[in-house]
Amino acid sequence: MSETPSDIEREIEEARERLAGTIDQLLYRSHPKTIVSREVAQVKAYYVDPATGEPRTDNILKTVGGVVGVIALFVVLRKITH
């Protein structure tokens, strides 16, 4: 069965529309504001439960402990070098 020129034109137009949609999605996903908002959402989800809105104290305490540990390390290193 051979395709008519109008069938081929229709297929080409459908392919163009699909590609245009794909390009639009890629542009949206690679836009700096989209990337920043996605990263902010990930950080918020780490510290706040998205389902309940309650803070995740275990993750908060891990972060605070890490920060306190790094500060203590700097204090100790500073005292040793002076």
Side-chain angles (χ1 to χ4, degrees):
M1 176 175 203
S2 64
E3 294 183 277
T4 64
S6 64
D7 290 339
I8 295 171
E9 287 176 6
R10 182 181 41 79
E11 288 178 18
I12 291 172
E13 186 57 37
E14 289 172 356
R16 279 188 190 141
E17 289 177 17
R18 284 193 308 273
L19 289 173
T22 301
I23 290 171
D24 289 343
Q25 287 176 356
L26 289 172
L27 288 173
Y28 173 76
R29 292 180 71 191
S30 65
H31 193 273
K33 286 184 180 180
T34 305
I35 293 170
V36 168
S37 66
R38 191 170 51 232
E39 293 301 317
V40 167
Q42 279 185 324
V43 170
K44 283 183 180 178
Y46 184 75
Y47 293 108
V48 178
D49 186 359
T52 63
E54 295 291 320
R56 292 182 171 178
T57 54
D58 56 335
N59 291 342
I60 294 170
L61 291 175
K62 289 177 194 175
T63 302
V64 170
V67 170
V68 169
V70 168
I71 291 172
L73 177 67
F74 283 136
V75 169
V76 169
L77 288 176
R78 186 167 173 96
K79 287 190 180 202
I80 291 174
T81 59
H82 286 289

